Amino acid sequence: MATYIFYILGIIAVVATAMAITRRNPVHSIIYLVNSFFALAMLFYLLGAPLVAAWEVIIYAGAIMVLFLFIIMMLELSPGERADRQGPGPLQWLPVLLLGAALIGCTLLLLKLDPAGSQNIPTWYASPRDFGYVLFHEYALAIEIVSFQLLFAAVGAFYVGRAGGRKEAGGIK
Amino acid sequence: MPEWLLITLLILAKLGLVFFVLLTLAAYLVLAERKILGRMQLRPGPNRVGPFGLMQPLADVIKLLTKEDFIPDQADKWLFMLAPGLAAVTALLTFAVVPFGPPLTLFGHEVPLVVCDLNIGVLFFLGLSSLAVYGMTLGGWASNSKYALLGAIRGLSQLISYELSMGLALVPVVMLARSFSLNDIVMAQADVPFALVNPLAFLIFLISIVAESKRIPFDLPEAENELVAGFHTEYSGMRFGLFFVGEYINLIILGSMLTVFFLGGWMGPFLPGIVWFSIKVLLVCFFFIWVRGTLPRLRYDQLMHFGWKILLPLSLLNVILTGAFLLWRQG
Amino acid sequence: MNIWRDIKGTIQPFWITLRNMFRPTVTIQYPEQRAEISPRYRGRLILTRDPDGQERCVACHLCSAACPVDCISMQATEGEDGRRYAAWFRINFSRCIFCGLCTEACPTLAIQVTGDFELANRNPLETVWEKEELLVDHCGQEPDYNFYRHAGIGVVAGRGENPGEDKPVDVRDLMP
Amino acid sequence: MIVPFEHLLVLASLLFFLGLMAVLVRRNLIMILIGVEIMLNAAGLVLVGASALWQQVDGQVLVIFLMALTSAEVSISLAMVVYLNHRKQTVDVRAFNELRG
Amino acid sequence: MDSRLLFLLILLPLTGGVFNACFGCRLPRALVALLAIGAIVGSFGVTLLCWPLAAEGTQVTLFTWLASAGLKADIGLFFDPLAATMTLMVTGVASLIHIYAAGYMEHEEDQARFFALLNLFVCAMLCIILADNLLLLFLGWEGVGVCSYGLIGFWYAKSENALAGRKAFIVTRIGDLFFTIALLWLFSLLGTVNIAEINQRATELDPVLLTPLVLLLLGGACGKSAQFPLMTWLPDAMAGPTPVSALIHAATMVTAGVYLLCRLFPLVSLSATGMAVIAAVGALTALYAASCAVAQREIKRVLAYSTMSQIGYMFLAVGVGSVAAAIDHLLVHAFFKALLFMGAGALIHLAGGENDIYKMGGLKQKSPLLFWLFLIGILCLAGAPLSGGFFSMAAIVFAAFTRGDGFLACLWGIGVFTAGLTSFYSFRLLYLVFFGSYRGKKTAHRLSPLLIWTLPPLALFGLFGGLFNLPHFYGGHELLGAWLGSTPAKELPLVTELGLLVLMSLFFVAGWLPAHLLYRNFEVEAESSWRRFLLQGWRFDALYEWLVLRPYRFTARFCFIAGDKGLIDGVVEGLGRTLLHWGGYMRQLATGQLSFYLQGFAWGLLLMVGWLLLKAVV
């Protein structure tokens, strides 16, 4: 049962992501992306990480994507999306294609090389309590560092977006 | 009868019951709001359709259903049609984790009076409430109208801002209850509701959910005298109705969340749990209406300043204080 | 301190609205209950008659000139005895704003306001009232006033000889 | 019991590949950022999968850090997008080539 | 009683200070002052409450502050009789001075900053007194330095005030350096920073090392207590507001050095040389400062030099091994010197902001009450028989006498002579200020009642403070000495004691008489080079300028021109130019197109993955 759900969700994620990156209208691609993230969140839940799943929805779908939406709406990017009129040249998509092929090749090779056959992921459940325990005991320093980074990001975003920057930009224009 | 069938049936029954009750309640909440606001303004409110105007919701639904469903020419049709549904569904889904009564014994089974007792119910609620932004935002954007866009942007930034303090106000609750499950949180309030244990968190959460519900005094996304009708300016007929019903369902959800997190859920003496729960939720809903009848709308900059400069630091402080308190009590 | 004032100012109105909930409403259940209208209420316009039963209106157009929304129109005509009256007189009540300026302008007190406000209608054309509908069989608010008593009816003969007109006063008779 | 670990890796590398595609091929700054988000999520999927495979919470903890870093990155980069859009009234990457030597 | 209550002592002023610092500028002025006063008075109350804990010596630990590789420093307090006495004095005097300051600073801007610094200062001072380890003590030590810097330069808009603050900070830093070295050395020798442990294990130390250690500690103490040769900052520090001078530069901070030596007395007393140096430094400073005070014209500078001189006495007492005498003098001195400073502040107000004593005079008529209070202070300072100052000073002189070898006898002579000088300049001050006719031009300010009514308690303590440690000879019981647990002074023959007493009294009179004759009806004083020499504090400032500052500046300039500009800039710029040249070729690669760079990434990644794949297959 869980196996089928896994594959279904995987297909949803891949298709939604593919739709997302090919849309002309950024708002549409964000809708697809939210779908994809939803599928991913459920995959996380399936893999025994309910907290991560919840955060995937809260942070990615609920905050980051909304931020994207906000910026798109604020900048009033026209649905025609001026940037992508011309199609991409082969120089641009060729390395990606090769890289993708290589990556998947790597994985398949791994599959082949593994003498014990493919390892199965067992069902497993990490309770919020265990999670918090590990997070705040073994990774306390990392939390400090990451929180500092968030602080710097906030300050940086404020600095870049402050009124002074606008004025300067106006001068150049 | 096989076990799983029984369970499925029970869940379906609960689901149907909840949906039916919720939708009816939302419809009658509209009526109640109009009546109560009327009383506050020294007028009787709707009283023509049926006795005391009790059939008014039905009349409204009929009116909305028979109105012309209008889609603006330049609108993004796909999103325009999707958005109201999104708004209503995200509001409805949240009720899945709300425990509205103590477990019930039925057919020899213990049936918890909650559609689905997730052990991360708090996060489920936060996740869905963060998704509630989409319905409004996409609706406003897809309308391709200045008023709607402005309303949507306003609403978006307002909801994001107040979600932070809402989430942070829940952290002390989780700390006190030592669980993310709403059922456990209710259980933890058997003696004293958290509103008395941590009144600051209660206040912050209360203000935040008023802001989350986009109602007066935080109704900037749909400020009538500035933006016509804000994000749903271009909507008519049942699509508008969905937004409208979504808003009121959201109201009930937020009320029941407040009840669960701070007012002790279904805990209470003498009366059965479900009655206590309903009373509390209805009281909270009355409070919402009362606020609407009393306070004027904030200015946009005041709203943002209040959210980021007062509510957010206050909620952070509250988290720290609660942590310190718990640490101290442990010794 | 300011913050206490703010908190008080936020909480006080809650009490006021709550108190209002338990006060009697000021709304009147209209079709069943009727409002008591003040005697000075400015409702639908009428054309009154003088105590003799004659029309008061002399079609002077002052009312239509005074009307800010131009809802009054008429055609003046003259009887054989020189008495002026309106050939037709029309008030468009869908434009009328019930300001009462016409009644103040009227020299003969012909056009007057009443307390009637029930003019709603499904057909906009029916809100245009003609003279026949406007004219009433009573004197309105000034029952004793009779314009022609003072002014004479019309100028068809010399002074004091027109119908219904008193002889002119010889001012020398008035000397002491 | 659920799936072989390799299948999860294939799924993740597919997602990663799609994200990379968006980054390299699209010229809209916002779409490039979206591509970055997709790649980060693919990495998160591998971490969660690994966490489940070895029955340890550490992988999930790393996903949390990943999310925190992402939000920092997004806030800065979107602020820069706004700034750039104010400068040139466009979000086409080709317009921003001041670093040309 | 919960011994953890002791932490309130430090926490109350800390809270008050931090609160005032953060929110003070938004609160009404009265509330700011009230908060600050409340914090200190609360602290005083806690001291009284905790008094019984001191008898046994209570040790409490709140939490471990630092713990790494052998170094373990707790936030811990040690409340023994010595600390308790000091705490009581500091909180008591500080309470009165806070109240006084509320009146004194009534019309100043930045009250919040002032009171925040004052509260934090008290907090740091209590940290010094109560710390159970040297690291925490050092924290307080630096804390008082910082707060004193901020307070001396409180009116920073005038540059000489800011300079005075800086000077005090830098000069005391020199002392702190010695203290730091001593601290680290002690840690490396004994492996602990706990004071009790250090004192216990002091005998384990190599006697050869002991003397330098004690000298280093003395250096630290000298810096804080303005002893020779680091004394130049104290007269300049009078630029600060008068309550600050009263609190910091008379009663508390400057006595920190004495306290430090008393705290570590078991260690210090092991080195005979060190003790001798301490005594010598004390006696020399006492003489030097007293001689300077004779010629000063500013009222607060006279008091500053007298403070320096009195602390010299305390050092002398420590040097001759009488901790009880030192602490007794410290206490009494704190009371009467705070009284004198606060009185001086009131006098300056009364003279309309004038602080030149040559331009005062006749103030007795203006405020008789102030005159009497000031007179008490002057009597104590001058060591008038039976006043508090007399007993404590006499105890020190006795102690020096009883040790009685040639060197100490010499110091004893200096001490006695200085007592005469002290008497002279004290009465000079008194006569110049209160007698004769008013020589100034400015009109008096109104005196706030707070300025007067905080003085009587201090006068009371100053006058009768000597009774605490009244020697057996006068029928007393040496209460303080017993309380501190120090060895009682050697009993002298009755004749000797009486002789000494008479001698002290004689010197008092010998100081008073010339002052009476010269200054009772003072008009104008002739300038003389000798007087100028004394006025400028033996020209030590100029000496230091010539000896230390000029070579320092020269070296700095040399380093800047030769080292920084020539060597470093040359290398760096040359490197930069080379890189610039080569960079010209590389710039072709930088197209400015984001996608171009990203493609580079992708190709690189492809190479890596491809190579891995190849390696796996082959």
Side-chain angles (χ1 to χ4, degrees):
Chain A
M1 182 71 175
T3 318
Y4 294 120
I5 296 179
F6 178 90
Y7 290 120
I8 292 168
L9 287 174
I11 289 166
I12 291 175
V14 170
V15 170
T17 312
M19 291 294 275
I21 66 167
T22 49
R23 289 309 88 187
R24 282 237 156 145
N25 190 333
V27 173
H28 287 188
S29 54
I30 279 177
I31 303 301
Y32 280 116
L33 208 60
V34 170
N35 265 327
S36 155
F37 286 164
F38 234 83
L40 266 181
M42 280 187 260
L43 273 177
F44 289 163
Y45 192 76
L46 208 61
L47 295 173
L51 268 179
V52 178
W55 273 319
E56 174 88 9
V57 174
I58 295 175
I59 295 178
Y60 267 107
I64 293 180
M65 286 299 123
V66 171
L67 206 60
F68 272 103
L69 208 56
F70 181 70
I71 295 296
I72 293 168
M73 282 164 64
M74 204 174 80
L75 298 184
E76 288 190 80
L77 299 178
S78 62
E81 196 197 343
R82 282 165 293 187
D84 277 327
R85 282 279 155 74
Q86 298 158 306
L91 247 178
Q92 281 179 313
W93 50 259
L94 192 66
V96 196
L97 221 58
L98 287 175
L99 199 64
L103 272 176
I104 293 174
C106 268
T107 323
L108 292 178
L109 203 72
L110 262 175
L111 194 69
K112 199 186 135 226
L113 289 178
D114 189 5
S118 54
Q119 285 167 296
N120 277 347
I121 300 179
T123 45
W124 179 64
Y125 176 72
S127 76
R129 204 175 295 259
D130 305 338
F131 186 88
Y133 190 85
V134 171
L135 185 63
F136 285 104
H137 278 80
E138 291 172 31
Y139 292 89
L141 186 67
I143 286 181
E144 291 300 318
I145 294 170
V146 166
S147 55
F148 264 109
Q149 170 154 15
L150 280 172
L151 178 70
F152 296 154
V155 173
F158 180 75
Y159 177 78
V160 173
R162 80 199 192 288
R166 303 265 165 79
K167 216 177 287 162
E168 184 196 346
I172 287 170
K173 193 170 58 185
Chain B
M1 208 181 326
E3 182 100 338
W4 61 270
L5 192 62
L6 188 69
I7 291 175
T8 317
L9 275 179
L10 272 174
I11 287 182
L12 278 180
K14 276 192 283 190
L15 214 60
L17 200 70
V18 164
F19 268 40
F20 178 73
V21 169
L22 212 53
L23 286 169
T24 318
L25 205 59
Y28 274 94
L29 199 58
V30 180
L31 178 66
E33 166 146 44
R34 290 169 67 181
K35 292 286 275 189
I36 291 172
L37 278 184
R39 291 297 317 183
M40 283 175 177
Q41 293 155 2
L42 298 182
R43 52 189 180 81
N47 61 353
R48 288 284 154 181
V49 191
F52 305 109
L54 280 179
M55 303 305 278
Q56 186 72 39
L58 205 63
D60 286 343
V61 168
I62 292 170
K63 181 192 80 177
L64 285 173
L65 281 175
T66 50
K67 269 199 165 182
E68 182 191 0
D69 186 11
F70 179 83
I71 299 179
D73 192 29
Q74 291 293 311
D76 191 317
K77 290 197 180 53
W78 186 64
L79 285 179
F80 188 83
M81 293 195 285
L82 186 77
L86 213 55
V89 166
T90 45
L92 267 173
L93 268 183
T94 319
F95 213 80
V97 290
V98 176
F100 44 86
L104 202 69
T105 312
L106 210 64
F107 309 126
H109 282 276
E110 189 163 86
V111 184
L113 275 186
V114 49
V115 177
C116 171
D117 183 18
L118 271 184
N119 54 5
I120 49 165
V122 177
L123 293 178
F124 183 82
F125 161 64
L126 285 177
L128 277 178
S129 73
S130 67
L131 289 183
V133 186
Y134 279 103
M136 179 195 66
T137 312
L138 293 176
W141 183 79
S143 304
N144 203 11
S145 142
K146 293 282 182 233
Y147 288 127
L149 185 70
L150 277 176
I153 290 185
R154 274 185 181 191
L156 197 152
S157 35
Q158 170 184 336
L159 259 57
I160 288 189
S161 306
Y162 280 81
E163 219 167 74
L164 274 177
S165 45
M166 183 174 79
L168 282 173
L170 287 184
V171 174
V173 172
V174 174
M175 276 152 82
L176 286 166
R178 301 168 148 266
S179 170
F180 277 117
S181 157
L182 298 192
N183 227 343
D184 293 354
I185 288 175
V186 172
M187 292 298 201
Q189 299 176 73
D191 302 327
V192 192
F194 286 155
L196 297 181
V197 180
N198 199 335
L200 188 58
F202 174 65
L203 200 66
I204 293 169
F205 190 74
L206 187 63
I207 295 173
S208 304
I209 59 173
V210 176
E212 283 286 298
S213 67
K214 308 190 285 284
R215 288 169 60 88
I216 283 176
F218 302 103
D219 66 336
L220 292 163
E222 41 193 308
E224 295 88 2
N225 31 17
E226 300 165 27
L227 298 177
V228 188
F231 63 91
H232 55 65
T233 305
E234 304 293 336
Y235 281 89
S236 60
M238 207 50 217
R239 292 192 201 288
F240 165 76
L242 274 177
F243 269 129
F244 201 65
V245 165
E247 189 183 323
Y248 281 87
I249 292 175
N250 205 17
L251 198 62
I252 298 169
I253 297 288
L254 292 172
S256 36
M257 281 301 164
L258 189 73
T259 309
V260 166
F261 288 136
F262 289 101
L263 302 180
W266 36 261
M267 293 285 183
F270 311 126
L271 297 173
I274 199 157
V275 176
W276 267 114
F277 185 79
S278 318
I279 288 174
K280 286 172 182 174
V281 171
L282 290 180
L283 272 179
V284 176
C285 290
F286 169 73
F287 176 75
F288 272 92
I289 296 165
W290 191 11
V291 168
R292 176 166 176 186
T294 304
L295 294 179
R297 179 185 305 135
L298 265 70
R299 229 170 41 217
Y300 189 66
D301 59 326
Q302 289 171 335
L303 170 98
M304 280 294 155
H305 280 223
F306 184 69
W308 285 101
K309 292 188 181 169
I310 298 179
L311 223 50
L312 188 65
L314 212 60
S315 49
L316 280 173
L317 186 74
N318 188 29
V319 170
I320 294 170
L321 286 182
T322 313
F325 171 75
L326 287 176
L327 214 65
W328 175 73
R329 206 176 54 180
Q330 275 179 6
Chain C
M1 289 216 1
N2 265 350
I3 190 151
W4 294 118
R5 204 194 59 200
D6 294 353
I7 289 174
K8 195 175 152 235
T10 313
I11 289 175
Q12 208 173 24
F14 279 93
W15 163 241
I16 290 171
T17 43
L18 193 68
R19 201 179 49 191
N20 271 359
M21 275 187 70
F22 301 102
R23 285 183 167 169
T25 55
V26 295
T27 315
I28 286 164
Q29 297 297 315
Y30 160 60
E32 295 92 29
Q33 273 177 301
R34 310 305 297 237
E36 267 186 38
I37 282 169
S38 109
R40 293 185 172 204
Y41 187 85
R42 297 194 295 254
R44 178 168 57 88
L45 296 164
I46 49 171
L47 289 174
T48 53
R49 293 175 186 272
D50 59 19
D52 300 344
Q54 301 290 311
E55 295 173 23
R56 272 176 173 163
C57 179
V58 295
C60 65
H61 287 95
L62 278 179
C63 52
S64 78
C67 182
V69 292
D70 293 342
C71 67
I72 305 176
S73 53
M74 70 195 83
Q75 171 89 52
T77 187
E78 204 167 298
E80 284 158 19
D81 51 359
R83 191 186 194 286
R84 279 170 64 95
Y85 57 93
W88 51 267
F89 193 102
R90 192 173 292 149
I91 297 181
N92 184 351
F93 278 114
S94 58
R95 293 179 81 170
C96 180
I97 57 171
F98 306 100
C99 61
L101 287 178
C102 46
T103 63
E104 283 170 32
C106 186
T108 64
L109 301 182
I111 188 161
Q112 289 187 3
V113 287
T114 62
D116 180 20
F117 53 83
E118 289 165 313
L119 291 161
N121 208 321
R122 284 188 185 275
N123 183 359
L125 284 180
E126 283 177 23
T127 58
V128 180
W129 286 40
E130 293 295 338
K131 184 177 173 186
E132 295 74 38
E133 295 150 331
L134 289 167
L135 200 60
V136 292
D137 277 340
H138 54 80
C139 306
Q141 286 169 336
E142 293 272 353
D144 302 331
Y145 183 67
N146 192 333
F147 173 71
Y148 283 107
R149 280 282 159 73
H150 303 285
I153 291 169
V155 187
V156 289
R159 287 181 68 189
E161 286 161 18
N162 288 308
E165 189 180 10
D166 297 340
K167 287 286 177 198
V169 178
D170 184 359
V171 285
R172 289 188 186 84
D173 291 354
L174 298 174
M175 291 183 69
Chain D
M1 214 163 95
I2 306 183
V3 283
F5 188 53
E6 284 74 16
H7 291 197
L8 198 142
L9 282 182
V10 170
L11 177 61
S13 50
L14 266 177
L15 285 176
F16 186 87
F17 158 70
L18 286 171
L20 193 65
M21 186 84 123
V23 169
L24 287 189
V25 173
R26 298 302 294 256
R27 296 190 187 115
N28 188 333
L29 267 175
I30 289 180
M31 290 309 291
I32 289 177
L33 287 174
I34 284 177
V36 173
E37 298 311 309
I38 296 171
M39 290 198 284
L40 284 166
N41 264 288
L45 182 60
V46 176
L47 284 171
V48 169
S51 161
L53 180 65
W54 283 301
Q55 311 266 307
Q56 273 177 342
V57 194
D58 301 57
Q60 300 183 11
V61 171
L62 285 183
V63 179
I64 295 303
F65 289 142
L66 191 90
M67 285 177 184
L69 296 187
T70 312
S71 29
E73 171 245 320
V74 164
S75 62
I76 287 273
S77 47
L78 284 182
M80 284 175 69
V81 167
V82 174
Y83 175 74
L84 293 174
N85 190 58
H86 270 280
R87 280 186 60 167
K88 296 220 169 157
Q89 312 301 317
T90 177
V91 288
D92 188 342
V93 274
R94 283 170 303 181
F96 303 103
N97 58 357
E98 273 88 358
L99 271 179
R100 188 180 55 222
Chain E
M1 190 184 350
D2 194 353
S3 55
R4 275 189 295 181
L5 208 60
L6 280 175
F7 285 101
L8 275 184
L9 275 176
I10 292 180
L11 281 181
L12 275 173
L14 182 66
T15 321
V18 170
F19 187 83
N20 267 347
C22 294
F23 309 107
C25 47
R26 300 182 184 192
L27 297 178
R29 301 166 75 93
L31 190 60
V32 169
L34 212 61
L35 269 174
I37 294 170
I40 303 297
V41 172
S43 217
F44 180 63
V46 173
T47 318
L48 289 180
L49 267 178
C50 294
W51 191 257
L53 292 176
E56 303 287 303
T58 307
Q59 158 101 37
V60 266
T61 304
L62 189 61
F63 58 88
T64 300
W65 175 24
L66 290 172
S68 82
L71 173 65
K72 183 167 172 295
D74 296 326
I75 299 286
L77 304 185
F78 186 55
F79 197 63
D80 66 342
L82 179 63
T85 318
M86 282 293 282
T87 312
L88 194 66
M89 185 276 282
V90 167
T91 50
V93 173
S95 305
L96 287 172
I97 290 177
H98 269 72
I99 299 170
Y100 175 84
Y104 193 85
M105 304 299 284
E106 225 170 11
H107 305 296
E108 293 291 337
E109 296 292 313
D110 285 339
Q111 251 198 338
R113 178 160 61 96
F114 181 75
F115 278 110
L117 278 170
L118 221 51
N119 265 3
L120 288 177
F121 169 79
V122 174
C123 163
M125 188 67 207
L126 290 173
C127 224
I128 295 183
I129 294 172
L130 293 167
D132 77 337
N133 61 61
L134 283 179
L135 216 56
L136 187 59
L137 190 147
F138 188 66
L139 186 75
W141 192 265
E142 294 300 315
V144 292
V146 171
C147 294
S148 128
Y149 165 70
L151 285 167
I152 293 172
F154 180 72
W155 290 308
Y156 56 86
K158 270 170 80 179
S159 68
E160 63 256 39
N161 292 356
L163 276 178
R166 199 161 64 184
K167 185 173 175 187
F169 194 60
I170 291 173
V171 175
T172 47
R173 285 320 318 245
I174 297 173
D176 294 350
L177 179 67
F178 293 125
F179 181 38
T180 319
I181 296 171
L183 199 165
L184 294 175
W185 200 0
L186 270 174
F187 173 66
S188 73
L189 287 175
L190 293 175
T192 177
V193 287
N194 191 299
I195 291 173
E197 254 182 85
I198 287 176
N199 279 338
Q200 227 165 38
R201 292 168 50 191
T203 44
E204 297 170 18
L205 287 173
D206 188 354
V208 182
L209 297 180
L210 214 51
T211 305
L213 254 176
V214 171
L215 289 182
L216 283 171
L217 284 174
L218 172 67
C222 276
K224 264 298 175 256
S225 294
Q227 296 299 296
F228 185 84
L230 299 175
M231 68 290 179
T232 53
W233 65 269
L234 186 60
D236 287 352
M238 293 304 130
T242 304
V244 171
S245 310
L247 178 62
I248 298 185
H249 307 122
T252 54
M253 185 180 94
V254 287
T255 58
V258 182
Y259 179 76
L260 176 71
L261 293 179
C262 294
R263 203 72 172 121
L264 292 172
F265 190 72
L267 173 81
V268 172
S269 61
L270 289 178
S271 161
T273 326
M275 291 285 276
V277 174
I278 292 173
V281 164
L284 273 180
T285 315
L287 180 65
Y288 157 77
S291 70
C292 291
V294 166
Q296 294 304 315
R297 294 181 55 159
E298 281 174 31
I299 184 165
K300 281 171 72 180
R301 283 177 90 94
V302 176
L303 295 176
Y305 276 112
S306 83
T307 306
M308 211 189 280
S309 160
Q310 300 296 312
I311 292 170
Y313 271 112
M314 294 171 212
F315 269 61
L316 178 60
V318 175
V320 299
S322 176
V323 173
I327 293 297
D328 184 35
H329 193 54
L330 196 159
L331 292 181
V332 177
H333 169 254
F335 291 125
F336 71 70
K337 191 49 69 66
L339 165 68
L340 282 174
F341 264 114
M342 287 153 76
L347 284 173
I348 291 171
H349 261 247
L350 207 58
E354 182 58 67
N355 54 14
D356 187 345
I357 46 177
Y358 285 6
K359 293 185 182 157
M360 293 183 180
L363 293 182
K364 185 181 168 188
Q365 281 80 26
K366 283 197 182 166
S367 175
L369 179 62
L370 195 57
F371 167 70
W372 288 110
L373 290 168
F374 207 77
L375 179 65
I376 292 174
I378 287 288
L379 284 178
C380 291
L381 176 60
L386 303 183
S387 69
F390 175 74
F391 289 123
S392 55
M393 218 193 289
I396 293 173
V397 174
F398 284 159
F401 185 77
T402 46
R403 296 295 146 113
D405 57 13
F407 175 65
L408 284 177
C410 188
L411 297 185
W412 170 80
I414 293 177
V416 174
F417 176 68
T418 307
L421 266 182
T422 310
S423 167
F424 174 71
Y425 71 70
S426 314
F427 281 104
R428 170 176 175 269
L429 179 64
L430 186 76
Y431 283 122
L432 280 177
V433 172
F434 284 101
F435 288 81
S437 53
Y438 185 57
R439 293 179 294 274
K441 294 183 181 60
K442 297 179 180 169
T443 47
H445 294 169
R446 194 187 59 82
L447 275 187
S448 158
L450 286 180
L451 295 191
I452 301 277
W453 290 110
T454 42
L455 304 183
L458 288 173
L460 216 62
F461 279 117
L463 203 53
F464 301 111
L467 300 180
F468 295 137
N469 201 23
L470 203 61
H472 299 293
F473 173 65
Y474 308 101
H477 302 285
E478 293 205 2
L479 286 175
L480 190 71
W483 169 246
L484 293 178
S486 67
T487 48
K490 218 190 294 176
E491 290 288 328
L492 288 180
L494 190 65
V495 186
T496 327
E497 289 233 5
L498 265 179
L500 279 173
L501 273 182
V502 171
L503 189 70
M504 290 292 289
S505 310
L506 270 179
F507 267 94
F508 166 71
V509 176
W512 169 58
L513 266 180
H516 182 74
L517 294 175
L518 275 172
Y519 294 107
R520 196 180 36 163
N521 291 312
F522 174 80
E523 281 310 321
V524 81
E525 198 165 39
E527 281 279 304
S528 75
S529 60
W530 182 238
R531 197 178 291 282
R532 217 163 32 238
F533 176 69
L534 289 181
L535 181 66
Q536 291 168 0
W538 295 16
R539 303 231 167 95
F540 263 104
D541 274 332
L543 183 70
Y544 286 161
E545 166 81 27
W546 194 72
L547 263 182
V548 182
L549 292 182
R550 278 201 197 159
Y552 177 76
R553 285 198 199 113
F554 176 76
T555 320
R557 195 168 298 135
F558 175 78
C559 285
F560 176 64
I561 290 172
D564 207 54
K565 275 202 164 162
L567 191 68
I568 298 176
D569 283 7
V571 169
V572 170
E573 279 173 19
L575 200 67
R577 266 194 292 275
T578 319
L579 283 181
L580 210 60
H581 184 70
W582 286 102
Y585 296 105
M586 301 293 283
R587 65 195 282 185
Q588 255 98 51
L589 270 178
T591 58
Q593 292 292 342
L594 186 62
S595 50
F596 181 80
Y597 301 136
L598 290 174
Q599 274 172 46
F601 282 9
W603 283 114
L605 195 62
L606 191 62
L607 270 179
M608 283 195 275
V609 171
W611 189 66
L612 283 177
L613 205 59
L614 209 68
K615 220 173 71 168
V617 173
V618 176

